[in-house]
Amino acid sequence: MSSSLTSRNEAGIFYVLAAIGGLVTAVGLGSALYMEHAGHVVTGMNNQIVWGIPHVFAIFLIVAASGVLNVASIGSVFGRVIYKSRAPLSGLLSIAMLAGGLAVIMLDLGRADRIIVAATHFNPTSVFGWNVILYPGMFAIVAVYIWTMMERRMNAYSKPAGFAAFIWRILLTTGTGSIFAFLVARQAYGSALLAPMFIIMSFAWGLAVFVVVQAAMYFWNGMRLPPLVLQRMKNLLGLFVAATLYFTAVLHLTNAYFAKQTAFEYFLLFDSEFSALFWVGQVLIGSIVPMILIWSTTGQRMTWVTVAALLVIFGAFVQLYVFIIGGQAFPLDIFPGYDVKSSFFDGQVDHYTASLPEILLGLGGIGIAFTAITIGVRVLRFMPQDDVQHLETAGAITD
Amino acid sequence: MRNWLFLAVVMAFLAQFAWAGDQANSRTPKPVIEIANPGKCVAPPEEMRRNHMEMLKHQRDRTLRQGIRGEPVTLNGCIDCHASKKTGSVLGAHESGKGGNFCESCHAYAAVKLDCFECHQPKAKFKAAGVMPGVKP
Amino acid sequence: MSEQNNPRRAFIAAAGAGVAGLGFTAIAPGLHLMAVAQAADATTNSPAARKAGEAASSAVRWGLLVDATKCAPGCTKCVEACHTENGITEKMPDARQNSQWIRKIELVDRRNGRKTELPMMCQHCANPPCVDVCPTGASMKRADGIVLVDRHSCIGCRYCMMACPYKARSFVHAPLTEQNPEVPRGKGCVESCTLCAHRVDKGQNPACVEKCPEGAMIFGDLMDPNSAISKRIASVPTTQVRSDLRLDVGVRYQGI
């Protein structure tokens, strides 16, 4: 084990990582306080682009949090042994990222100080209202699920708990996609396709995060991931990335087909600051390059699979930026067939520049997730334990 | 058991501060409040001290959500009567530096967040001046 | 209009409660409405003042008719009247962060170049998307059809701004101090045209209607066949903006 770290170095690294995570979190919380005090005047958000970079971070974290639980579901619900040993880690990542994402979305509120109102006043027709139930419910169910897996006496209940978590996470991502799917006002949204698309996106992004964290943990412990496990996970990642790309293509093709939507599609795909981000960031770097890395000979190496996963995460951020900011930048078509002008910027393409405080708030969400994961894997047994010989004799890793 | 006893004693100790406001000869420091129009309130001071927030809360929901106007209790009514004669406001510090005008002095004393004036105008008979510049299309 | 009377909202509500799995009933918070008859004063062409203690009634539906053929090019009297009445005096460094409850829009028909101007504001929908999406029920519709934001429960999530097809809502981006006592508004909450509810309840027309030098706007009760607005709508063709969305708006336009 040449790359093995001595236990003393290892402890040192833990404190360094925890300190970095804590610092990023603290800076993020400080930014939120500043935004809360000064008002959103210190952000790049305005009355046309009402959701900005904090929402990109928050939605990435929430969607990936749901997707990362897929690893556990494949183990518990579908009985795959190599995934089963990874289920507790998958649960931890899920809770940590959900916490980070929710923190960002709540701290970005205009009146974050009265967040309790969201719990005491419930509007049943609001997708946000549903999410007020779905998100905390996810915490509870995943926490119980982890408990049934890690507490020996509760092991018997881990399958039903896993099944409940699987159903809940499908609902949760449907709820996240529906935030946009249920909007009639803006051309970028209002498609039922968005709910299943968010689910498939969550599969890809969650697995990518899992692959990266797993690689870091194996490196940290000086261990090597069994090649068969690597093979399985990277193939699955490639499949999810391909499926996300497929949904993206169908969404844009349907939009381009409808005359009322073509102007928006042309704007987004060919005639705006978002076009290059879409083609180069989301499609090329975020989807095609990772697939090539995964399915060519480089995909036999842990390092390249990790790089592919990192590119998928990068592509996810670009995709959300194009989807959320690009979708709002295009003017509302209030008077079809007319050129419009007003003091409220009707008919004009808006340009958004994220300000430092809102970027730091978004990073703070990553910091919260990172810190929780670092501490979690250090103090509890989340390291996947593979008994390769046993797996082979049991026939579990031959297909 | 012992902890509970301790807690009970602490609670009893703290409770006397809550009562202090109603007692005449307490050694507890009290907020300095400027009363602009004494004796003309919609209810006795004891009741107002304890229940003004509930009265305002119910009124605001009726007025905003049901559109009921002309209620006996309104925030603007409170402000019109209780605003400082010097500054015209229910917010702001006294010159002595102790407490402040009607609403703020007591809320500062009790350390209770005063959220009303994030949106409501704290000055009596305030007239918003002018128009936002640069609105022409 | 109560929740139970609207099958569409009740349906979404039931579906939502089903997804949430907790069986909430479709009752929006705090709406208990009484049907109290209320008539507009036909002689003065302004609404009748509501008596003290009387709730807004679903027997009335306030509406606005804008005659775009009368709206004068370059005139912004209605916008200025609104800003004065509602105390909108602040100016943000980035103009896109300014609140605007009403704005003048210049339209140019792409086919023939015909120019039109009109004021645009909250359309006071009967099926308002902003009310559907609001997580806390802060975005609400009063019994008489006026769509309002209850700032006491608005958390500033801006979902209603995403949902509004008319770009009618603004978010207050910085602390305010110059509010009109009758029109509270403040940092971190979303706001929009209230149809001057505080004036309407006193029997006055909205400020924009009152100050329009061309008399291009009529305010009144859409449910009363004898009101000036109903008579005009019955006699000339009028348009609902984005009528494809079937939101049943309270603000109608003539001449576009």
Side-chain angles (χ1 to χ4, degrees), chain A residues 35-52 55 108-112 114-119 121-130 132-134 168 171 178-180 182-186 189 260 324 328 332-346 350-353, chain C residues 9 12-13 15-17 19-20 22 24-29 92-100 103-111 114 116 118 120 129 131-137 151-159 161-175 187-189 241-242 245 256:
Chain A
M35 280 167 59
E36 178 75 11
H37 184 72
H40 278 60
V41 68
V42 298
T43 71
M45 292 178 265
N46 58 51
N47 288 322
Q48 169 73 31
I49 296 182
V50 302
W51 288 349
H55 301 81
D108 172 74
L109 293 174
R111 294 299 307 256
R114 51 162 87 127
I115 181 64
I116 190 69
V117 173
H121 291 61
F122 179 78
N123 177 9
T125 62
S126 168
V127 180
F128 266 7
W130 308 347
V132 167
I133 292 163
L134 289 170
W168 198 268
L171 290 177
S178 300
I179 291 172
F180 298 96
F182 284 33
L183 290 177
V184 291
R186 300 187 191 230
Y189 314 122
K260 61 174 182 173
I324 297 173
Q328 295 174 84
L332 271 70
D333 200 9
I334 305 175
F335 295 97
Y338 290 89
D339 286 325
V340 288
K341 210 167 79 176
S342 83
S343 57
F344 206 44
F345 308 95
D346 286 275
D350 207 322
H351 298 280
Y352 168 78
T353 314
Chain C
R9 267 180 65 85
I12 305 174
V19 167
L22 293 178
F24 280 83
T25 47
I27 298 170
M92 305 291 161
D94 179 349
R96 296 169 303 171
Q97 293 177 331
N98 280 335
S99 283
Q100 211 159 334
R103 62 197 194 266
K104 274 294 291 291
I105 293 191
E106 294 174 31
L107 299 174
V108 179
D109 193 322
R110 285 192 199 117
R111 285 161 302 184
R114 187 171 75 100
T116 317
L118 50 84
M120 188 79 199
V131 174
D132 285 340
V133 301
C134 179
T136 65
R151 289 177 184 73
H152 306 113
S153 46
C154 174
I155 54 174
C157 72
R158 281 110 70 212
Y159 198 15
M161 300 176 75
M162 290 290 275
C164 176
Y166 304 103
K167 206 186 170 187
R169 291 207 157 175
S170 305
F171 180 68
V172 180
H173 284 75
K187 178 192 75 182
C189 290
V241 177
R242 292 290 322 256
L245 297 174
I256 55 168

Side-chain angles (χ1 to χ4, degrees), chain B residues 21-22 44-53 106:
Chain B
D22 292 348
E46 294 72 30
E47 195 190 336
M48 292 310 293
R49 270 177 216 147
R50 291 185 184 282
N51 294 329
H52 66 279
M53 65 300 274
C106 209

Side-chain angles (χ1 to χ4, degrees), chain C residues 45 47 62-64 195 200 204-206 209 217-221 229:
Chain C
N45 193 25
W62 295 124
L64 203 56
L195 268 183
V200 170
Q204 298 168 323
N205 275 319
V209 176
M217 295 159 104
I218 305 175
F219 175 82
D221 181 5
I229 188 170

Side-chain angles (χ1 to χ4, degrees), chain C residues 20-208:
Chain C
L22 293 178
F24 280 83
T25 47
I27 298 170
L31 278 171
H32 302 286
L33 310 165
M34 287 175 282
V36 181
Q38 188 180 36
D41 184 344
T43 50
T44 60
N45 193 25
S46 64
R50 206 165 46 250
K51 288 192 203 76
E54 212 171 78
S57 156
S58 58
V60 173
R61 172 140 192 240
W62 295 124
L64 203 56
L65 178 67
V66 179
D67 186 349
T69 60
K70 282 187 185 168
C71 185
C75 170
T76 54
K77 287 280 189 301
C78 54
V79 180
E80 287 158 25
C82 175
H83 287 180
T84 306
E85 178 64 34
N86 295 302
I88 304 171
T89 55
E90 73 280 1
K91 195 168 188 285
M92 305 291 161
D94 179 349
R96 296 169 303 171
Q97 293 177 331
N98 280 335
S99 283
Q100 211 159 334
W101 295 10
I102 182 173
R103 62 197 194 266
K104 274 294 291 291
I105 293 191
E106 294 174 31
L107 299 174
V108 179
D109 193 322
R110 285 192 199 117
R111 285 161 302 184
N112 51 29
R114 187 171 75 100
K115 284 187 183 156
T116 317
E117 286 201 17
L118 50 84
M120 188 79 199
M121 73 291 280
C122 171
Q123 302 287 294
H124 297 279
C125 312
N127 300 310
C130 55
V131 174
D132 285 340
V133 301
C134 179
T136 65
S139 203
M140 43 123 351
K141 191 178 58 161
R142 223 168 68 162
D144 53 9
I146 298 180
V147 175
L148 297 169
V149 179
D150 183 351
R151 289 177 184 73
H152 306 113
S153 46
C154 174
I155 54 174
C157 72
R158 281 110 70 212
Y159 198 15
C160 55
M161 300 176 75
M162 290 290 275
C164 176
Y166 304 103
K167 206 186 170 187
R169 291 207 157 175
S170 305
F171 180 68
V172 180
H173 284 75
L176 305 180
T177 53
E178 305 288 302
Q179 301 95 333
N180 174 347
E182 284 186 297
V183 190
R185 45 191 296 265
K187 178 192 75 182
C189 290
V190 175
E191 57 183 20
S192 59
C193 160
T194 63
L195 268 183
C196 282
H198 62 288
R199 289 173 59 91
V200 170
D201 289 349
K202 283 188 286 197
Q204 298 168 323
N205 275 319
C208 54

Side-chain angles (χ1 to χ4, degrees), chain B:
Chain B
M1 182 63 209
R2 215 190 212 166
N3 290 343
W4 283 111
L5 207 63
F6 176 70
L7 199 66
V9 170
V10 171
M11 297 282 276
F13 178 73
L14 290 175
Q16 70 177 349
F17 292 109
W19 296 322
D22 292 348
Q23 289 165 1
N25 296 317
S26 168
R27 288 192 301 151
T28 319
K30 287 187 198 159
V32 183
I33 307 174
E34 179 193 320
I35 309 285
N37 297 302
K40 291 184 183 166
C41 204
V42 293
E46 294 72 30
E47 195 190 336
M48 292 310 293
R49 270 177 216 147
R50 291 185 184 282
N51 294 329
H52 66 279
M53 65 300 274
E54 288 300 321
M55 294 158 96
L56 284 168
K57 194 174 170 189
H58 290 129
Q59 177 271 332
R60 81 176 198 201
D61 289 343
R62 282 192 300 266
T63 299
L64 198 145
R65 293 192 164 263
Q66 299 174 48
I68 297 174
R69 302 282 177 173
E71 295 253 348
V73 178
T74 68
L75 185 62
N76 280 341
C78 300
I79 295 164
D80 283 348
C81 203
H82 285 292
S84 156
K85 289 210 165 110
K86 274 183 225 149
T87 64
S89 176
V90 290
L91 295 185
H94 278 306
E95 280 154 21
S96 65
K98 287 181 187 171
N101 290 334
F102 189 79
C103 295
E104 192 172 338
S105 58
C106 209
H107 274 260
Y109 171 79
V112 176
K113 190 183 171 195
L114 185 51
D115 206 26
C116 304
F117 303 103
E118 293 282 309
C119 290
H120 285 274
Q121 177 55 252
K123 288 184 177 159
K125 316 240 166 13
F126 181 84
K127 264 283 172 211
V131 185
M132 181 173 70
V135 290
K136 293 210 190 313

